[in-house]
C-alpha cells in the first residue's frame, strides 16, 4: 500500500510575509486603478483571498474561472477543460489571474490567452509558486508576481492538493510517497 509523508517546505509566516510584499508591489504597479482579480479554482482560491486582503490602493472586483488539467493525477495532461468561465466582461479592464502554481505553464497559458482575447486593458498573472524547470518550452509564459521558485518536487497546501486533499494547510509541504 502507498503511504506518504508531508514535510514542510515553506512555512506559514514566510508565506504571509511574501504575500504582503507581493500586494505592496501590486499596489505600486496599478496605482489605484481597479483590478478584476480572477482566481483559477480551486488552487488559486487561497492565495487570491490572502492577497486581496493585503491590496490597499486599488478597488477590486472578484470574478473566477474553474479549469481542470490534472484530475487526481500528478502530471498535467495538457488538455485544459474550462468548467466555469468569467461572469463579468473584462473588456477594457485590468485583470489579475491568480493561481497556486505555474508548472508546465499550460493551464495559465490557456487562461491568459482566452482572457486576452476579450481585449482587457491589461492581463497579468500572480502565483504562489513557480517550478521553472518544468516549463513546457513551446509555451512563452511567466508569472508577473510570483511568491517562491521551487524545485521539481510535488507539493501540497495553500490551495495545492494531493489527491484533492491538503489544500487547506496554511503552509506548503513536500509530498514524499512510499510504496
Ligand atoms: P500546469 O498547467 O502544468 O502549469 O499545471 C498547473 C496546475 O497543476 C496547478 O494549478 C496545480 O493545480 C497543478 N500542479 C502542478 N504542480 C503541482 C504540485 O506540485 N502539487 C499539486 N498540484 C500541482
Ligand atoms: Mg490548479
Amino acid at each position: 500500500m502507498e503511504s506518504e509523508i508531508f514535510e514542510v517546505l515553506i512555512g506559514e509566516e514566510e508565506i504571509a510575509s511574501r504575500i504582503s510584499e507581493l500586494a505592496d508591489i501590486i499596489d505600486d504597479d496599478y496605482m489605484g486603478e481597479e483590478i478584476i482579480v480572477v482566481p483559477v479554482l480551486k488552487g488559486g482560491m487561497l492565495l487570491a483571498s490572502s492577497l486581496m486582503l493585503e491590496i490597499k490602493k486599488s478597488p477590486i472586483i472578484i470574478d473566477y474561472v474553474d479549469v481542470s488539467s490534472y484530475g487526481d493525477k500528478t502530471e498535467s495532461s495538457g488538455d485544459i477543460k474550462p468548467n466555469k468561465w468569467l461572469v463579468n466582461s473584462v473588456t477594457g479592464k485590468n485583470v489579475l489571474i491568480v493561481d497556486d502554481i505555474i508548472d508546465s505553464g499550460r493551464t495559465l497559458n490557456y487562461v491568459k490567452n482566452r482572457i486576452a482575447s476579450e481585449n482587457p486593458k491589461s492581463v497579468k498573472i500572480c502565483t504562489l509558486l513557480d517550478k521553472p524547470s518544468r516549463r513546457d518550452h513551446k509555451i512563452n509564459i511567466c508569472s508577473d508576481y510570483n511568491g517562491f521558485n521551487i524545485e521539481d518536487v510535488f507539493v501540497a497546501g495553500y490551495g495545492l492538493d494531493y489527491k484533492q486533499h491538503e489544500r487547506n494547510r496554511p503552509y506548503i509541504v513536500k509530498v514524499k510517497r512510499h510504496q
Side-chain angles (χ1 to χ4, degrees), residues 76-88:
S76 171
S77 65
D79 287 335
I80 314 296
K81 191 168 116 252
N83 304 317
K84 292 267 185 339
W85 200 249
L86 302 170
V87 176
N88 303 288

Side-chain angles (χ1 to χ4, degrees), residues 40-44 67 69-71 73-78 80 99-109 129 131 134-136 139 141 150-157 159-163 167 173 175:
V40 181
L41 301 191
K42 309 185 215 24
V67 297
S69 57
Y70 265 47
K73 295 193 277 306
T74 55
E75 277 292 320
S76 171
S77 65
I80 314 296
D99 207 354
D100 48 8
I101 189 166
I102 178 162
D103 186 32
S104 72
R106 292 181 200 118
T107 307
L108 283 167
N109 190 53
L129 304 176
K131 284 184 194 165
R134 297 260 309 164
R135 199 76 83 255
D136 179 341
I139 295 174
I141 189 143
I150 60 166
E151 289 171 13
D152 182 11
V153 287
F154 195 82
V155 291
L160 293 131
D161 73 297
Y162 173 61
K163 298 183 178 171
R167 290 189 198 273
V173 289
V175 183

Side-chain angles (χ1 to χ4, degrees), residues 21-138:
E21 278 174 14
L22 291 178
D24 287 347
I25 299 168
I26 289 168
D27 265 331
D28 286 347
D29 286 359
Y30 287 87
M31 296 188 299
E33 285 193 18
E34 184 179 85
I35 309 170
I36 304 194
V37 173
V38 177
V40 181
L41 301 191
K42 309 185 215 24
M45 283 174 70
L46 278 84
L47 173 61
S49 313
S50 313
L51 186 72
M52 288 188 292
L53 292 172
E54 298 283 330
I55 293 176
K56 305 278 190 286
K57 295 183 187 156
S58 285
I60 285 182
I61 288 178
I62 307 176
D63 208 325
Y64 67 95
V65 298
D66 178 4
V67 297
S68 350
S69 57
Y70 265 47
D72 279 344
K73 295 193 277 306
T74 55
E75 277 292 320
S76 171
S77 65
D79 287 335
I80 314 296
K81 191 168 116 252
N83 304 317
K84 292 267 185 339
W85 200 249
L86 302 170
V87 176
N88 303 288
S89 163
V90 294
T91 305
K93 310 277 189 179
N94 295 306
V95 179
L96 183 61
I97 303 164
V98 180
D99 207 354
D100 48 8
I101 189 166
I102 178 162
D103 186 32
S104 72
R106 292 181 200 118
T107 307
L108 283 167
N109 190 53
Y110 172 91
V111 173
K112 189 178 182 185
N113 285 342
R114 193 165 155 189
I115 287 180
S117 74
E118 298 181 30
N119 295 316
K121 178 174 181 191
S122 68
V123 54
K124 288 189 174 182
I125 294 173
C126 178
T127 49
L128 183 61
L129 304 176
D130 186 349
K131 284 184 194 165
S133 66
R134 297 260 309 164
R135 199 76 83 255
D136 179 341
H137 291 292
K138 296 188 288 297

